[in-house]
């Protein structure tokens, strides 16, 4: 298959057009065919290990997730299918549901037997909904009856209390459209939407369940399924509710994409890679987006090309379990060889007709390419920091805690760090944790554990955590340009307890890392470097900057300046900000003359500071009082 020529007039940033997307979809779909079972019911891809659901479930996953890609490809072409993608999957649907739960080479597991099958039922149902005139309506009655029987258990309450509720909604949406079990389908849709409503915290952000998990699941699941269902069903009332939420989310979300096209590697299921482009495409599809059409395509094409140009596919053109190439530390136990094909959601833009402005308008720059940004995300207690000079994105985390409820559990590298970027880390155990503040006891560093948000505001975010019983750490980050002020107030630790602040992790040819002691650390000791291993960015050897200090009494404040930049020959971070500490107040004068003041007393939301009244707010509106914004 010849590769379409680049068009730098229409797409000056990526060179890609709709033809490149269609070509990429065809290549991905044709590459999996050699691994299909005799009648295409399963796609059994090679991989390092099966998922915890087993190889039969993994084979269903291979069929279902590539079917979703085939559905987007053919529905976007209004049924044109020169490569026979739908015929391949129609045969697989018939074979997989002929004797489900059996031992046949094509048989699909039952949803009642294997929970993971519930996830895959959503991709099957969405694929059928998108291609109904060209696939479902052409099937014989017996095949349709068997397929419906296989799908129906998805209408029951979700077996997992998080975004899984939306898989039942997606199956119900297809059945509702097809006029099958419409009362049950409607009840499932209502129940599912009611459940996720309890997790909506405003400004476009959901937690992924009864926790504080904020990551890409907001875009590729919690917005994706409700908004797409409302759009496909023509339900104006639903779209009026969920569309503005998507737009609000995209206001923040678009700042998480590097000029290179990389989405921020933060959270779980990062092997889904360019599924990160699904939400921006959905905004264009429904009209609920802050992005222009040209900027939408620039973001999406940049993301898809970022991964395909960096080895996301192996020599067989199969998507691997990793980020660039294979990378085991980010692979969840629920992931199998076909799991990366949830990236198919990133091809949602193919549903837009070829003459839509998202395909015909000239590409426009991303927010990160236009101006420096320091943007607080209050519901998630995050702080986004971007710099136009190098197109780099950093995320400071003061509120996301997925999987941190167990006090004995180790921090999840995808959630537990204080900071993430599009060009570095995170490191993975047993390596030293990057961007971490810890007490060091008998050579062992403490975990962060659950972080309680202590407020956000212009240019700052803060949180509180308990590394050990009786010891609390109140932390804050202030940012401007590429400069970061990192502050940690340690309360209740024994006098002389060692502490360690790590900074960014980088490779010899990676961005420049700077970490400088300001207060609390002995300046004479300077910054050290810790040897760390490979990260998802590649390279077997990395180095992580670190500062070391000791507590002095029941209360100790540690302040450092940090910087991560891809600018050539960057000036020292100490030239970018002047920091003064007075008691529990931090005064900062940035390089451009603007100033900020962070009063840690005003962040005492949990009443942990001796002699101070507890504030009855999580926002801390008076905590940061910039003299000149």
């Amino acid at each position: 298959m010849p590769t379409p020529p680049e068009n730098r007039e229409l797409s000056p940033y990526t060179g890609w057009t709709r033809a490149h997307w269609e070509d990429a979809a065809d290549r991905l779909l044709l590459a999996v065919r050699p691994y299909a079972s005799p009648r295409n019911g399963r796609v059994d891809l090679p991989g390092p290990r099966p998922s915890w659901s087993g190889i039969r479930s993994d084979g269903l996953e291979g069929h279902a997730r590539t079917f979703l890609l085939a559905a987007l490809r053919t529905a976007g072409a209004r049924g044109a299918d020169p490569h026979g993608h739908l015929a391949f999957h129609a045969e697989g649907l018939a074979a997989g549901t002929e004797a489900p739960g059996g031992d046949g080479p094509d048989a699909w597991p039952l949803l009642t037997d294997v929970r993971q099958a519930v996830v895959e039922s959503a991709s099957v149902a969405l694929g059928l909904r998108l291609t109904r005139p060209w696939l479902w309506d052409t099937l014989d009655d017996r095949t349709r009856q068997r397929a419906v029987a296989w799908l129906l258990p998805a209408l029951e309450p979700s077996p997992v209390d998080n975004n899984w509720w939306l898989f039942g909604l997606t199956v119900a949406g297809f059945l509702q459209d097809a006029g099958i079990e419409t009362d049950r389908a409607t009840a499932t849709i209502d129940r599912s939407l009611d459940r996720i409503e309890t997790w909506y915290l405003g400004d476009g952000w959901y937690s992924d369940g009864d926790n504080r998990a904020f990551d890409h699941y907001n875009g590729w699941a919690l917005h994706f399924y409700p908004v797409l269902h409302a759009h496909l069903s023509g339900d104006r009332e639903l779209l009026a509710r969920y569309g503005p939420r998507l737009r609000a989310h995209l206001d923040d979300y678009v700042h998480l994409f590097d000029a290179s096209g990389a989405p921020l590697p933060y959270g779980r299921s990062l092997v889904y890679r360019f599924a990160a482009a699904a939400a921006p495409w959905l905004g264009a599809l429904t009209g609920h987006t802050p992005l222009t059409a040209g900027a939408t395509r620039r973001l999406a094409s940049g993301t898809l090309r970022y991964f395909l140009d960096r080895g996301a596919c192996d020599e067989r053109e199969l998507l691997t379990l990793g980020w660039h190439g294979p990378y085991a530390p980010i692979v969840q136990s629920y992931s199998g060889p076909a799991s990366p094909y949830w990236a198919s959601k990133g091809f949602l833009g193919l549903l837009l007709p070829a003459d839509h402005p998202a395909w015909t308008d000239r590409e426009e720059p991303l927010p990160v390419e236009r101006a420096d940004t320091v943007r607080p995300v209050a519901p998630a207690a995050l702080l986004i920091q971007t710099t136009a000079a190098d197109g780099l994105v950093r995320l400071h985390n003061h509120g996301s805690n997925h999987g941190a409820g167990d006090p004995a559990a180790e921090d999840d590298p995808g959630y537990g760090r204080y900071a993430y970027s599009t060009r570095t880390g995170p490191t993975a155990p047993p390596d030293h944790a990057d961007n971490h503040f810890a007490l060091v006891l008998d050579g062992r560093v403490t975990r962060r554990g659950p972080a309680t948000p202590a407020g956000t505001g212009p240019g700052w975010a803060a949180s509180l955590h308990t590394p050990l019983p009786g010891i609390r750490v109140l932390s804050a980050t202030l940012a401007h340009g590429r400069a970061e002020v990192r502050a940690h107030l340690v309360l209740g630790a024994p006098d002389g307890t060692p502490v360690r602040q790590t900074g960014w992790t980088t490779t010899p040819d990676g961005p420049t890392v700077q970490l400088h002691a300001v207060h609390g650390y002995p300046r004479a000791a300077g910054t050290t470097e810790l040897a760390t291993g490979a990260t998802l960015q590649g390279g077997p050897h990395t180095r992580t900057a670190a500062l070391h200090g000791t507590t002095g009494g029941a209360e100790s404040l540690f302040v450092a300046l940090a910087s991560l930049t891809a600018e050539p020959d960057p000036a020292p971070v100490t030239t970018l900000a002047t920091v003064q500490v007075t008691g529990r107040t931090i005064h900062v004068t940035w390089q451009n003359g603007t100033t900020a003041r962070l009063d840690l007393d005003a962040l005492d939301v949990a009443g942990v500071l001796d002699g101070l009244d507890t504030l009855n707010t999580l926002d801390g509106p008076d905590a940061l009082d910039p003299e000149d914004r």
Side-chain angles (χ1 to χ4, degrees):
M1 294 171 58
T3 302
E6 291 188 358
N7 185 336
R8 289 288 171 176
E9 179 61 31
L10 179 65
S11 302
Y13 292 90
T14 70
W16 275 30
T17 65
R18 182 186 178 94
H20 292 86
W21 281 83
E22 293 172 337
D23 176 72
D26 288 336
R27 289 177 183 274
L28 289 170
L29 290 168
L30 294 174
V32 304
R33 288 193 186 179
Y35 305 95
S37 55
R39 294 171 56 202
N40 307 333
R42 300 209 309 262
V43 177
D44 297 308
L45 297 178
R49 57 153 183 79
S51 73
W52 65 11
S53 299
I55 59 174
R56 291 186 178 277
S57 175
D58 293 348
L60 164 63
E61 188 173 68
H63 175 96
R65 298 188 180 198
T66 56
F67 176 39
L68 178 56
L69 178 56
L72 292 168
R73 171 70 174 95
T74 53
R78 304 301 182 263
D81 188 13
H83 297 289
H85 299 313
L86 291 190
F88 174 88
H89 286 282
E91 183 180 9
L93 176 72
T97 58
E98 190 172 88
D103 296 329
D106 291 282
W108 291 357
L110 293 167
L111 277 65
T112 50
D113 293 342
V114 179
R115 291 196 313 181
Q116 185 63 31
V118 176
V119 182
E120 308 319 318
S121 72
S123 292
V124 171
L126 183 53
L128 291 172
R129 190 176 192 181
L130 293 172
T131 61
R132 186 178 162 195
W134 310 290
L135 198 163
W136 181 256
D137 291 348
T138 68
L139 297 174
D140 63 83
D141 288 341
R142 288 187 63 191
T143 299
R144 285 190 286 194
Q145 290 169 4
R146 291 196 300 262
V148 168
W150 183 80
L151 288 168
L152 279 175
L155 300 187
E156 296 299 315
S158 172
V160 180
D161 196 26
N162 61 4
N163 68 85
W164 277 44
W165 285 93
L166 298 174
F167 303 142
L169 174 145
T170 303
V171 172
F174 163 65
L175 295 176
Q176 194 179 61
D177 274 5
I180 301 167
E181 295 278 0
T182 54
D183 289 344
R184 283 187 66 190
T186 299
T188 296
I189 292 168
D190 292 342
R191 181 174 60 236
S192 301
L193 294 178
D194 286 346
R195 184 65 186 119
I196 70 165
E197 191 67 21
T198 64
W199 302 326
Y200 184 64
L201 300 184
D203 296 336
W205 287 86
Y206 293 86
S207 62
D208 189 15
D210 289 331
N211 52 32
R212 290 194 57 82
F214 302 98
D215 57 20
H216 288 287
Y217 272 87
N218 264 270
W220 64 40
L222 292 158
H223 286 289
F224 180 84
Y225 291 112
V227 176
L228 186 57
H229 165 69
H231 172 74
L232 294 175
S233 62
D235 191 325
R236 294 185 179 181
E237 182 178 349
L238 279 184
L239 195 58
R241 183 193 310 173
Y242 294 104
R245 293 184 182 183
L246 172 63
R247 181 188 179 97
H249 181 67
L250 290 174
D251 272 331
D252 292 324
Y253 187 65
V254 297
H255 293 277
L256 297 178
F257 289 80
D258 193 289
S260 67
L264 190 83
Y266 165 66
R268 65 188 177 96
S269 300
L270 295 177
V271 298
Y272 301 158
R273 294 182 175 101
F274 42 84
W281 278 131
L282 185 59
L285 183 67
T286 63
H288 292 280
T289 179
L291 286 169
T292 64
T296 298
R297 189 176 78 258
R298 187 270 178 273
L299 184 155
S301 292
T303 299
L304 178 59
R305 183 161 192 179
Y306 173 84
F307 287 110
L308 296 185
D309 285 354
R310 288 168 175 79
C313 292
D314 64 16
E315 67 279 0
R316 298 161 294 189
E317 296 199 83
L318 299 177
L319 286 172
T320 60
L321 284 161
W323 187 247
H324 294 163
Y327 183 66
I330 65 167
V331 180
Q332 268 72 42
S333 55
Y334 55 73
S335 296
S339 292
Y341 287 84
W342 229 38
S344 299
K345 293 179 177 184
F347 284 80
L348 187 70
L350 290 178
L351 294 184
L352 295 165
D355 60 355
H356 189 279
W359 294 116
T360 61
D361 282 6
R362 183 179 171 88
E363 283 183 345
E364 297 180 16
L366 296 176
V368 70
E369 296 168 303
R370 295 197 300 264
D372 292 357
T373 299
V374 178
R375 184 182 183 92
V377 180
L382 304 173
L383 186 68
I384 303 171
Q385 178 189 16
T386 74
T387 42
D390 54 9
L392 210 156
V393 178
R394 310 146 192 85
L395 182 72
H396 303 283
N397 171 27
H398 286 276
S400 194
N401 305 302
H402 182 273
D406 180 359
E410 294 297 321
D411 286 332
D412 185 334
Y415 294 92
R417 304 291 193 256
Y418 277 96
Y420 297 84
S421 91
T422 47
R423 311 270 180 100
T424 67
T427 59
D431 285 338
H432 300 284
D434 61 322
N435 292 314
H436 183 55
F437 181 83
L439 281 64
V440 185
L441 305 175
D442 297 324
R444 300 183 63 183
V445 298
T446 56
R447 64 191 285 265
R448 187 182 186 191
T452 301
T456 58
W460 67 277
S463 60
L464 177 75
H465 79 277
T466 304
L468 293 169
I471 301 175
R472 305 255 184 122
V473 179
L474 183 61
S475 302
T477 304
L478 298 88
H480 184 276
R482 64 174 171 91
E484 313 158 29
V485 177
R486 301 182 177 189
H488 304 280
L489 180 63
V490 180
L491 302 162
D495 188 25
T497 301
V499 302
R500 187 181 76 185
Q501 166 77 75
T502 55
W504 299 101
T505 292
T506 191
T507 58
D509 57 349
T512 299
V513 168
Q514 297 175 354
L515 186 63
H516 179 77
V518 172
H519 180 86
Y521 305 99
R523 297 195 188 187
T527 304
T528 63
E529 281 194 335
L530 306 173
T532 42
T535 69
L536 52 76
Q537 301 290 348
H541 304 292
T542 59
R543 307 291 291 181
T544 301
L547 290 171
H548 304 266
T550 57
T551 59
E555 175 179 322
S556 300
L557 178 59
F558 299 91
V559 182
L561 272 169
S563 167
L564 176 73
T565 181
E567 296 179 42
D569 301 318
V573 68
T574 51
T575 68
L576 305 181
T578 301
V579 183
Q580 294 180 318
V581 177
T582 305
R584 294 170 175 164
T585 301
I586 301 166
H587 304 265
V588 185
T589 301
W590 304 111
Q591 186 182 37
N592 65 353
T594 60
T595 60
R597 181 177 65 86
L598 182 63
D599 180 3
L600 297 179
D601 284 347
L603 301 180
D604 184 29
V605 297
V608 298
L609 302 183
D610 294 339
L612 296 176
D613 293 328
T614 300
L615 297 180
N616 295 315
T617 173
L618 285 178
D619 294 328
D622 300 322
L624 187 68
D625 188 15
E627 298 171 16
D628 183 0
R629 294 178 184 171

